[in-house]
Amino acid sequence: EEQSKKSPKRKIVLLMAYSGKGYHGMQRNVGSSQFKTIEDDLVSALVQSGCIPENHGEDMKKMSFQRCARTDKGVSAAGQIVSLKVRLIDDILEKINNHLPSHIRILGLKRVTGGFNSKNKCDARTYSYMLPTFAFAHKDHDVQEEVYRLDRETLEKVNKLLACYKGTHNFHNFTSQKGPKDPSAKRYIMEMYCGEPFVRENVEFAVIIVKGQSFMMHQIRKMIGLVIAIVKGYASESILERSWGEEKVDVPKAPGLGLVLERVHFEKYNRRFGNDGLHEPLEWTEEEEKIAAFKEQYIYPTIINTEREEKSMANWLNTLSIHDFNSSAV
């Protein structure tokens, strides 16, 4: 207690990894305790470890708290970044982690400039989406899920479609509550592709990577949902162009389960402050092994086991046959 009162308050960033299953996303909803979020557990650990006084836990503005990305319900992260002011107590990471459940870990800490804000200073975010490859099987083929294996030709088609998203488009149809004239619906996508498939627990999976400046709620899940619908033969390729136009297109939204915030990029900040002698660049090469180990232990098994038990992808695929791609959504 005495030590933590004497410790100076400093602006830092924490590198976080978590499995989002069972949580209503990252961002805390003060006053609504029935929806547990990742930040509820984080703030409680910060208070218990002595890095922040209790009243900062109640009013997060007091510690200038900012998360880099608001992950949706059920979404995991391997490289989430939060910025905040804390007392730099001894063994700070160990103490915070001691008060966190094992599926939430703080993997790194760096000092940053006083005015640093993890959301505003972030110039890009990379997400991955892990899905069973039978999601790409054509609707007219009778598919045994465990036996299905993705062929070259289908993977090439998937990648051709995903590449169409690159550049700047109007994504008003890929989120709710944004109209076609809203300038904030225009988003810039730097890369998007699907990697080589691999088998886990007899089921073949693949991982889609997408890097963009920033994303709106449900945007990535809808981008992937639309590509799945086209590859499966429920919608024609022309719907992609149409969905960026003014008219309302009801874009199907893939399940949240496979989505993971992989990393956040601070290229401009690193160029300006990364080598100024006082601050280090916000890069986490030394933590890469810990990140990979966390994914193997907590994120991938959760996605695979939940998929097997709850069949979220298989059940969602069944809704595509009744999805109306032609009518405008009400």
Side-chain angles (χ1 to χ4, degrees):
E1 185 73 2
E2 278 309 301
Q3 185 227 335
S4 67
K5 279 195 178 128
K6 286 187 195 127
S7 306
K9 276 213 184 78
R10 293 287 179 259
K11 189 66 158 291
I12 58 155
V13 294
L14 296 175
L15 171 70
M16 277 184 89
Y18 51 84
S19 168
K21 190 187 176 183
Y23 288 88
H24 269 74
M26 170 75 182
Q27 190 170 358
R28 196 161 181 222
N29 309 306
V30 178
S32 110
S33 53
Q34 81 258 40
F35 297 124
K36 196 159 103 144
T37 68
I38 299 289
E39 280 173 20
D40 289 326
D41 281 358
L42 173 64
V43 168
S44 143
L46 291 169
V47 171
Q48 288 175 290
S49 62
C51 316
I52 61 167
E54 206 155 319
N55 64 347
H56 286 201
E58 285 139 36
D59 180 1
M60 291 164 79
K61 285 193 206 75
K62 288 192 168 139
M63 54 172 166
S64 311
F65 185 92
Q66 188 62 56
R67 90 266 326 142
C68 190
R70 242 189 355 227
T71 51
D72 295 341
K73 178 184 171 185
V75 174
S76 297
Q80 168 75 285
I81 298 283
V82 299
S83 54
L84 67 161
K85 281 191 178 130
V86 296
R87 301 179 179 129
L88 282 178
I89 57 176
D90 297 338
D91 308 320
I92 181 166
L93 289 192
E94 194 185 332
K95 284 180 181 152
I96 299 171
N97 280 326
N98 284 343
H99 293 287
L100 282 170
S102 58
H103 56 263
I104 303 180
R105 290 289 94 180
I106 306 295
L107 301 178
L109 175 153
K110 290 185 195 287
R111 287 273 307 273
V112 284
T113 55
F116 184 85
N117 172 317
S118 61
K119 185 172 168 227
N120 302 349
K121 290 278 184 272
C122 172
D123 24 40
R125 297 155 176 86
T126 298
Y127 281 84
S128 68
Y129 188 85
M130 182 172 169
L131 75 175
T133 56
F134 64 71
F136 295 125
H138 197 277
K139 66 177 171 54
D140 298 339
H141 301 305
D142 186 26
V143 169
Q144 302 295 317
E145 291 169 6
E146 301 227 330
V147 186
Y148 181 82
R149 297 294 179 258
L150 188 64
D151 58 62
R152 262 295 121 215
E153 204 183 330
T154 310
L155 181 59
E156 279 167 18
K157 182 172 186 187
V158 168
N159 273 319
K160 193 181 111 212
L161 290 166
L162 292 173
C164 297
Y165 284 120
K166 290 203 284 198
T168 303
H169 300 284
N170 185 337
F171 284 102
H172 73 97
N173 278 314
F174 293 78
T175 189
S176 48
Q177 292 113 23
K178 279 206 199 294
K181 300 267 196 271
D182 188 333
S184 69
K186 283 209 165 78
R187 299 288 160 128
Y188 173 53
I189 306 297
M190 297 154 188
E191 61 178 336
M192 193 163 187
Y193 62 90
C194 180
E196 290 295 321
F198 51 92
V199 175
R200 291 280 169 97
E201 314 264 337
N202 295 332
V203 177
E204 189 181 64
F205 286 86
V207 174
I208 292 172
I209 299 288
V210 54
K211 179 180 180 184
Q213 218 162 12
S214 59
F215 298 94
M216 298 177 287
M217 188 171 174
H218 301 153
Q219 182 185 338
I220 297 172
R221 288 164 60 190
K222 284 186 171 246
M223 289 164 77
I224 291 168
L226 193 57
V227 166
I228 291 173
I230 295 169
V231 175
K232 288 189 85 66
Y234 288 111
S236 69
E237 284 190 34
S238 61
I239 195 167
L240 264 179
E241 294 292 328
R242 234 178 71 213
S243 68
W244 299 321
E246 301 254 312
E247 70 169 301
K248 188 89 181 100
V249 175
D250 188 9
V251 175
K253 177 177 75 196
L257 175 68
L259 192 58
V260 179
L261 173 63
E262 286 286 334
R263 58 179 55 218
V264 287
H265 307 266
F266 296 97
E267 283 132 19
K268 281 195 204 95
Y269 173 87
N270 288 345
R271 279 199 296 274
R272 187 161 169 212
F273 296 109
N275 300 306
D276 65 358
L278 294 170
H279 306 96
E280 15 180 9
L282 295 183
E283 281 160 3
W284 307 93
T285 25
E286 286 165 31
E287 287 74 17
E288 287 296 341
E289 272 178 37
K290 282 195 257 179
I291 294 172
F294 185 89
K295 287 200 287 199
E296 286 298 333
Q297 192 176 354
Y298 292 101
I299 297 180
Y300 294 154
T302 301
I303 294 173
I304 292 161
N305 296 334
T306 308
E307 184 54 57
R308 290 182 68 187
E309 287 157 25
E310 297 174 13
K311 303 211 173 303
S312 57
M313 179 56 78
N315 293 336
W316 174 76
L317 292 171
N318 289 335
T319 66
L320 287 178
S321 59
I322 52 171
H323 190 94
D324 190 349
F325 293 91
N326 296 317
S327 80
S328 290
V330 178

